[in-house]
């Protein structure tokens, strides 16, 4: 498990302007997600069940080929539109997903979603269903796991017009607690609007 003072290989970008819907200026993501706040969030995903299930899936898919990864991703997308969902159901009902769902609920709106990925960028557990199963072609994986141990990437702040909130993704590499070698990655989608509200309330 990492501490709040972990070393960061840190890339932070955030948009200074809203979209055409006139949401105003984006919150200061660098101020809201300071190293201490990020450390606390990352520590939430340092539970033994995370390490165990990511390591198990890495062993399960040890010899997985690129075409097989794409087939799994296609299966996930197709299952979302069907009542028979073996892959989706197995992932959403596993102990890791149950743990992540509890973390999200206990955040009381500060966390909108959590995804844990294996060494290929395939979902191992998540707090809610995702649109796809493979995240390996996205920045959340490429700017963390592929960079190395302690890599952290905070994506651009985005405006959600449906819910009227600013949000961003905190992405980081998951490493083995003993060897320090990267074993996967995780994404925590953060409600910046809620963090701003709490910060203002605390002043």
């Amino acid at each position: 498990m990492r501490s709040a003072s972990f070393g960061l290989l840190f890339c932070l970008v955030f948009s200074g302007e809203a979209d055409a819907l006139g949401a105003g200026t984006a919150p200061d993501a660098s101020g809201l997600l300071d190293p201490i706040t990020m450390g606390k969030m990352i520590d939430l995903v340092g539970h033994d069940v995370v390490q165990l299930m990511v390591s198990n899936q890495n062993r399960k898919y040890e010899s997985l080929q690129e075409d097989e990864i794409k087939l799994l991703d296609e299966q996930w997308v197709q299952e979302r539109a069907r009542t028979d969902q073996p892959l989706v159901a197995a992932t959403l009902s596993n102990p890791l997903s149950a743990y992540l769902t509890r973390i999200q609920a206990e955040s009381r709106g500060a966390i909108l979603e959590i995804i844990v990925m294996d060494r290929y960028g395939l979902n191992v557990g998540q707090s809610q269903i995702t649109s796809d199963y493979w995240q390996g072609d996205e920045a959340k994986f490429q700017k963390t796991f592929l960079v190395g141990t302690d890599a952290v990437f905070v994506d651009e702040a985005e405006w959600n017009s449906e819910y009227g909130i600013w949000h961003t993704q905190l992405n980081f590499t998951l490493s083995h607690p003993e060897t320090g070698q990267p074993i996967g990655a995780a994404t925590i989608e953060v409600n910046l609007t809620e963090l701003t509200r709490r910060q203002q309330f605390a002043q």
Side-chain angles (χ1 to χ4, degrees), residues 39-191:
K40 289 179 179 178
M41 288 190 173
I42 289 173
D43 279 350
L44 292 172
V45 190
H47 195 279
D48 289 345
V49 69
V50 180
Q51 300 286 341
L52 177 63
M53 295 205 64
V54 172
S55 296
N56 285 347
Q57 184 157 306
N58 283 339
R59 287 192 291 271
K60 176 183 177 181
Y61 290 148
E62 186 174 5
S63 302
L64 204 64
Q65 301 299 311
E66 184 176 352
D67 59 338
E68 295 173 307
I69 292 174
K70 292 180 179 179
L71 286 174
L72 283 170
D73 192 45
E74 290 173 4
Q75 178 183 344
W76 180 278
V77 174
Q78 292 169 2
E79 284 186 13
R80 281 176 50 88
R82 302 200 306 253
T83 55
D84 182 28
Q85 301 177 314
L87 180 59
V88 171
T91 305
L92 291 177
S93 64
N94 70 36
L96 175 54
S97 291
Y99 173 68
L100 300 177
T101 300
R102 180 164 63 85
I103 291 177
Q104 180 180 330
E106 291 176 350
S107 77
R108 297 170 311 199
I111 294 175
L112 303 173
E113 181 181 42
I114 312 173
I115 308 170
V116 169
M117 300 153 266
D118 65 14
R119 61 182 297 195
Y120 297 105
L122 293 169
N123 293 358
V124 182
Q126 59 228 60
S127 62
Q128 56 189 26
I129 192 169
T130 53
S131 59
D132 50 12
Y133 186 59
W134 182 53
Q135 318 300 327
D137 59 344
E138 299 182 20
K140 62 168 62 76
F141 182 80
Q142 295 178 349
K143 293 188 177 183
T144 55
F145 180 82
L146 297 185
V147 173
T149 304
D150 285 341
V152 176
F153 169 66
V154 179
D155 211 341
E156 292 187 19
E158 295 184 1
W159 172 252
N160 185 310
S161 57
E162 181 179 359
Y163 296 104
I165 60 170
W166 284 97
H167 61 101
T168 191
Q169 289 187 342
L170 168 60
N171 312 282
F172 50 95
T173 301
L174 295 172
S175 300
H176 192 281
E178 296 178 2
T179 67
Q181 294 299 309
I183 60 172
T187 292
I188 300 177
E189 187 166 349
V190 182
N191 184 341

